Amino acid sequence: MSLDPDSPSTTNRDWIFPSQSFNLPRTPARRFSSSYPRTTSFQNSLSHPPSNSTPPAVPRTLRRRISHLHRIVERESSVDAVTDGKSNDFAVQSEDSPSSGNETTSVYKKFTSFFRRFTVSRQAACIIAILVMCFACLVHKNFSLHNQVNDLQDELSKLNIRLRRCNISDSIDIIDPISEHNVSGASLKNTALILSFMMLSLPLAFIKYMGYVSYIRRPSDSNTEELSLNKQLAYRVDVFLSFHPYAKPLTLLVATLLLICLGGLALFGVTDDSIADCLWLSWTYVADSGNHTNSEGIGPRLVSVSVSFGGMLIFAMMLGLVSDAISEKFDSLRKGRSEVVEQNHTLILGWSDKLGSLLNQLAIANESLGGGTVVVMAERDKEEMELDIAKMEFDFRGTSVICRSGSPLILADLKKVSVSKARAIVVLAEDGNADQSDARALRTVLSLTGVKEGLRGHLVVELGDLDNEVLVKLVGGDLVETVVAHDVIGRLMIQCARQPGLAQIWEDILGFENCEFYIKKWPQLHGMQFEEVLISFPDAIPCGIKVASSGGKIILNPDDSYVLQEGDEVLVIAEDDDSYAPAALPMVQRGNLPKNLIIPKTTERILFCGWRRDMEDMILVLDAFLAHGSELWMFNEVSEKEREKKLTDGGLDISRLANIILVNREGNAVIRRHLESLPLESFDSILILADESVEDSAIQADSRSLATLLLIRDIQAKRLPYRESMVSKIHGGSYSQGSWREEMQQASDKSVIISEILDPRTKNLLSMSKISDYVLSNELVSMALAMVAEDRQINDVLEELFAEEGNEMQIRGAALYLCDSEELSFYEVLLRARQRREIVIGYRLANADKAVINPPAKAERRKWSVKDVFVVIADKE
C-alpha cells in the first residue's frame, strides 16, 4: 500500500490502521502503563519507511491524528500491562521502562484509599440501590409516556396540516391549546413524582442515619455521656403517646392523610388524571386494597400496590387501636372503674361480714319507695363483690346494688361513686385489729371532709373501740354519726342477760322488717299534751318528742303535761314511715293500778366466759344495774394479776364497785374439766364472750363460743335432776331418755345463756338448735347502721337506750298494771302505765313465743292474764 496521497487506493484511515505494505508484525495491540515515552514498531515504521519507496510529505491532518493518538496512549498508561514474550513492543517497553511496576502499585493504593472514603454499609447500599431502581423505573416510564405524548403531538400536527389544506381553520384553535397543556402537564407530573419520592425517602434516611448525626454533633473532647438522637426521639414519642389521651388516633389519622397525599402525588406523576382524581383514587386504594387490580401499566401498578400495602398496614393499626379501646372499656366496666351517675343514693365504703345484713335492711327500708340505689366501693375486684352479693339469700325488693373497685382514701375514687350527691355514707370497719380498723376509718373521714364539692348527706362510721369515738367526731364534726359495734354488742348482752327475751324485741325494733323508730312533724298536734298524743295514733306508739326550742334534742318518755309547740316533732314506733297518721282522740278510761307495786332488786350471780377488750365498761354497766351483793364471775385464760392491770389501765377502780363482787377463775373455756370446776348450775346468767385472743378471726371465735356453749349445757344437764316429762315412749312399749338436745333445753330453764357470735351464719345455726336462749351477733350492728343511715336522729335514741343512765327497754309483768282476767284495751293499759312514768310499746302473751310490738286494734278490749308480760320504755332508776 502506498503513502502517496494521490493514489486512489490510499485513504486517511490507512495511516491509523497500517496495511501489509508497512511490514508490521501480526501481534495483538497492547496498552502499556508507563510514565516514560515509548516507541513502537508502528512509530518506527512511520519514521523509517522502506528504502525502496520515496518519502512522501505527511499532511497536517495526519500529524494531528498521530499526536492525538500519542496522548491517548500516554493517558492510559495507568492500566496494568499484560506482557507477551513474543511481542516486540513489550520487549521495547521492558527495556525502556524499568520502574513501571512500582508506579502501578502506587496508583492502585491511591485509588483504593480514595475509594474507601465513599464506602457505605451493605444494608444502606441495598436500600439505595432499591430506591434508585424504583426511581429509575418511574423516570423511565415517565419519559416513555413523554415520548408517546410527543409522538401524538407530531401526529396531531400532521393532521392539523391536512386540515388546513382542507380549509378547516378551527382545528388550529383546538390543537394548539391541547399541545400547550400537555407540555405544562408533563413538567408538573414530573415534579409531583419527584416530590412524592423525596417525601418518602427523607424519613427513611433520617431514621437510618440519625445515630450518625448524634455522633457527629457530639464534641470529641466531651467526657459526659449523651443520649443519642434516636433515643431522645423515641422518648419524646413515648411521652406524647402516654400523656395525650387521643395521641394514638391522631397519629393514625396523620399517617392516613400522609399516605393519601403521597399516593395521590405519585399517581398524578404516572397517570393522566387530575390531582383531585388521583387523591380520590389514592383514598380508594387505602380504604380497599382490592381496587388496585384495575391499574394498567408498570408505573400505576407499582404505585397502587405500594399505596394498597400502606393502606393494609393502616387498617391493621386502626383495627388494633379500636380493639384495644373496646377491650379497655369492657375491662374498665368489668373491674368497676367507670363513674357512678346517681343522686340520693346510699354509699357504703369498705367490706366486712356485716355487709349482707346491711344491704338486706336497706333494701327493706327502700321497699316503700319502690326501691333505691346502694353503691358499694371496696378495695376488691368488682366481679368478686358481685359474686359474693349474689350468694346472699335475700330479696333486694327493687333496690339496685352497684359495686365499684377503689379506695376510700383516694379522692378520685370517691368522686367516681358520686360521694357528694349521696344522701348517706356508711363507713364499715375492717375485719381484724380494732385499732388499725379505727385508724383507717379516721383517714377515710378525713378524705371525705376534703371533698371540694361538699357532702350532701351524713356519715355513719362503724368503730371497733369506744376510745376512738371522740377523735372521729372531732375530725368529722356535725356530719359524723358513730356506731361502736363492740360497745353495742356488749351492752345488749348485759341487758338481755338480765331480762331474757329482750334480745328478740331489740331485733324487731332495730330491723326494718317489723316496727322501727320514726320522727315526723305533725302540725295538727300542736297545743296537745303528750298524754293525748299517746292515744292519737291508731297505728303507732309515740315514745318521745324532738324539742325544737332545745336545738332539736330528743326527749324519751316525757312528762304527760308537756305541750307540743310549733316545730316540735313526734318520735314513734311504727311499721313504716307512711303507715301511720294521727286520728281523732278515742274515748279511753284511765283507770287505776291494782296496787302500787315496787319491784325490789334481788342479788344475781353472773358468769363471763372469755375476755373482751371493753371488759371494764361491761363491769361498770353491771354495777349500775345489779343489786348490792351480786357476784360477777370471770372465767378466762388471763391471769389474775394481768386482769387487774388491764382493768386498771382501762380506767376501772375495782375498790369503787358498789354493787358487785368480782370472782376470778382461770381456765380454758373449751376444756371440759376446767368448766366442771365451776358451779354452772348456780348462775342466773352466763355470757359467752368472743375472746380477745381470737376476735380477729370470726370463724375461730365462733367455733370457740359454740364449743363452750355445748359443754356448759351438757354439764348443766348432767347436774340438774332429770324430769319425768322428758321421758318418751317408743314403739313396742319401751322407754328411753330424751335426746341431748332435750336435756339441754331442760337446762336452759334454769339459767340463761347469751352467746356472742360474730358470723350471722353461725347465729342462724344456733337459733335453729334452740340450745341457747339468744344469740347476739354482728347482725344487730348492721341493723343499727342501716337505721342510722336512713335517719341520723335515731342514733341519739339508741345511745340513750344503751347508756347506763336515762331510759331503757324493759320487760314488766302484767300484774303491775292489771288484775288477773281483767278486760282492758291496749289504750287503757297504755294510760295506766303512764302512772308509773312508763310507755308500753308491746306485749307477749303467756302462751306465745314472740312479743308483739305496736299491736293493731289498740281500742279493742280483751282479757289479760297476770302471766302476760309487757314491753315498756322506762327510766333505769
Side-chain angles (χ1 to χ4, degrees), residues 235 261 271 313 344 501 581 598 643 649 763 772 776 795 815 866:
Y235 171 73
C261 293
T271 61
L313 293 179
N344 296 324
I598 299 177
R643 293 180 196 177
D649 294 340
K763 176 251 182 182
S772 177
L776 288 175
N795 195 30
V866 292

Side-chain angles (χ1 to χ4, degrees), residues 607-627:
L607 172 65
F608 281 178
C609 287
W611 184 270
R612 283 169 55 101
R613 287 182 288 105
D614 58 346
M615 184 67 76
E616 60 276 2
D617 296 330
M618 298 182 68
I619 293 176
L620 287 174
V621 173
L622 277 177
D623 186 64
F625 287 157
L626 298 181

Side-chain angles (χ1 to χ4, degrees), residues 158-217:
K158 291 177 183 181
L159 294 174
N160 191 18
I161 294 172
R162 291 182 181 180
L163 290 173
R164 286 179 181 179
R165 291 177 182 178
C166 297
N167 296 325
I168 303 177
S169 60
D170 294 338
S171 62
I172 300 174
D173 298 332
I174 298 174
I175 300 300
D176 291 341
I178 294 176
S179 301
E180 295 176 0
H181 176 72
N182 290 334
V183 173
S184 61
S187 61
L188 186 60
K189 291 178 181 297
N190 293 333
T191 305
L193 188 62
I194 295 172
L195 181 61
S196 62
F197 180 77
M198 291 179 60
M199 292 178 64
L200 183 63
S201 302
L202 285 177
L204 298 176
F206 179 75
I207 294 174
K208 179 63 181 178
Y209 297 103
M210 192 164 42
Y212 298 103
V213 175
S214 302
Y215 180 77
I216 294 172
R217 291 177 56 187

Side-chain angles (χ1 to χ4, degrees), residues 504-652:
Q504 178 260 324
I505 298 172
W506 267 116
E507 184 175 352
D508 291 343
I509 293 178
L510 289 178
F512 286 95
E513 292 182 351
N514 298 304
C515 295
E516 52 273 354
F517 290 105
Y518 292 103
I519 300 178
K520 190 178 294 187
K521 184 184 298 184
W522 300 99
Q524 59 267 40
L525 298 181
H526 292 165
M528 296 178 60
Q529 294 184 352
F530 184 74
E531 183 181 18
E532 298 174 336
V533 174
L534 277 175
I535 57 176
S536 297
F537 294 91
D539 300 315
I541 298 178
C543 301
I545 302 296
K546 181 181 178 182
V547 183
S549 59
S550 301
K553 181 181 179 181
I554 297 178
I555 300 177
L556 283 175
N557 190 17
D559 294 335
D560 291 340
S561 60
Y562 179 83
V563 179
L564 265 71
Q565 305 295 327
E566 184 178 358
D568 290 350
E569 300 180 30
V570 182
L571 171 68
V572 302
I573 295 179
E575 186 176 359
D576 207 344
D577 57 350
D578 58 352
S579 63
Y580 70 99
L585 291 177
M587 298 297 297
V588 180
Q589 296 180 0
R590 173 183 292 271
N592 296 318
L593 294 174
K595 54 184 178 180
N596 190 11
L597 292 178
I598 299 177
I599 304 176
K601 290 184 177 181
T602 59
T603 58
E604 300 180 35
R605 177 180 285 187
I606 298 177
L607 172 65
F608 281 178
C609 287
W611 184 270
R612 283 169 55 101
R613 287 182 288 105
D614 58 346
M615 184 67 76
E616 60 276 2
D617 296 330
M618 298 182 68
I619 293 176
L620 287 174
V621 173
L622 277 177
D623 186 64
F625 287 157
L626 298 181
H628 180 73
S630 299
E631 294 181 358
L632 174 60
W633 289 54
M634 294 190 297
F635 178 72
N636 49 68
E637 296 182 75
V638 182
S639 62
E640 186 173 352
K641 292 183 179 180
E642 189 175 355
R643 293 180 196 177
E644 294 179 359
K645 182 178 181 302
K646 287 185 176 182
L647 294 176
T648 303
D649 294 340
L652 176 65

Side-chain angles (χ1 to χ4, degrees), residues 146 186 225 547 619 636 804 852 854:
H146 182 67
E225 183 180 358
V547 183
I619 293 176
N636 49 68
E804 297 90 348
V852 178
N854 184 27

Side-chain angles (χ1 to χ4, degrees), residues 655-683:
S655 60
R656 293 188 176 183
L657 295 177
N659 297 324
I660 61 176
I661 302 172
L662 294 181
V663 180
N664 293 300
R665 290 291 185 271
E666 185 177 349
N668 194 337
V670 296
I671 298 178
R672 186 182 184 90
R673 67 175 182 273
H674 291 177
L675 290 174
E676 288 178 345
S677 62
L678 301 174
L680 298 178
E681 68 280 0
S682 64
F683 293 108

Side-chain angles (χ1 to χ4, degrees), residues 299-333:
R301 287 179 179 176
L302 182 61
V303 175
S304 61
V305 169
S306 302
V307 176
S308 299
F309 182 72
M312 288 188 289
L313 293 179
I314 289 179
F315 179 75
M317 289 188 293
M318 181 183 65
L319 186 63
L321 184 64
V322 173
S323 177
D324 291 343
I326 295 176
S327 300
E328 184 178 356
K329 186 62 178 178
F330 275 100
D331 186 65
S332 176
L333 294 175

